[in-house]
Amino acid sequence: PGDEGYDSNTPHGLIVSLTNIGSTNPQWGCSGTSIPGTLETIGSGHDNTTLIIDNCSQNLIAAKSCSDYTSMGFDDWYLGSSQEMLQLGINIQIVNNSLTGIENSQLVNNQFLTSTESNAIQALRIIAGGNQSYTFGTNKNTNQIPTRPIRSF
């Protein structure tokens, strides 16, 4: 409820992968290049991921890493939009409780890269803190922010 396009008669949601991408965090990529059309809304992460891949020829970027990710028999993973990843941040305790007992799966770093561009030099990241989570800009060239793929159903 409260999400744009919400229909209580249709089962839907977001699934977070059990692990972050790679042993080192991939960059958002293409710093200095604007990727027009990335949105913040829930439901836009998949399209954002496609836009980034189509408009950024740099290798080893977060969007491509998420798009190439396969797990649990699924290959439709993507880098979530800022509002999708914000939901992950808001619900971090619930998610971590669900992941208890699965080795290296808990969300130990409270920052998450998103597929939402802020400008040609920055993308948005989520910082989860207590009962509130926030969006902040981060340099597209940084590899300090974990990348956690999501998928929707």
Side-chain angles (χ1 to χ4, degrees):
D3 293 343
E4 189 175 318
Y6 179 78
D7 178 356
S8 62
N9 297 315
T10 304
H12 60 282
L14 298 171
I15 299 171
V16 62
S17 68
L18 296 178
T19 58
N20 292 337
I21 292 287
S23 58
T24 60
N25 302 314
Q27 296 179 3
W28 199 93
C30 287
S31 183
T33 301
S34 181
I35 309 289
T38 65
L39 302 174
E40 294 188 48
T41 55
I42 291 175
S44 62
H46 188 274
D47 289 342
N48 288 353
T49 299
T50 300
L51 281 169
I52 296 164
I53 293 168
D54 289 349
N55 290 284
C56 180
S57 60
Q58 185 177 333
N59 291 325
L60 303 173
I61 59 171
K64 181 76 169 125
S65 297
C66 288
S67 179
D68 289 347
Y69 183 75
T70 58
S71 180
M72 299 180 285
F74 296 99
D75 62 1
D76 57 349
W77 300 90
Y78 56 91
L79 181 59
S81 70
S82 60
Q83 290 300 307
E84 289 166 337
M85 298 309 282
L86 188 62
Q87 292 303 308
L88 179 61
I90 290 168
N91 294 292
I92 195 167
Q93 288 304 116
I94 294 168
V95 172
N96 275 340
N97 289 342
S98 298
L99 296 173
T100 298
I102 303 172
E103 189 175 344
N104 298 320
S105 66
Q106 290 201 318
L107 305 170
V108 294
N109 187 321
N110 292 347
Q111 296 188 62
F112 310 101
L113 197 58
T114 80
S115 62
T116 305
E117 181 182 67
S118 179
N119 56 50
I121 298 169
Q122 292 191 322
L124 293 180
R125 64 180 162 148
I126 300 303
I127 299 177
N131 293 330
Q132 295 182 334
S133 291
Y134 307 90
T135 58
F136 285 96
T138 191
N139 189 302
K140 289 181 176 182
N141 284 338
T142 187
N143 63 350
Q144 301 301 310
I145 311 298
T147 301
R148 181 72 67 123
I150 66 170
R151 58 181 300 273
S152 53
F153 66 94

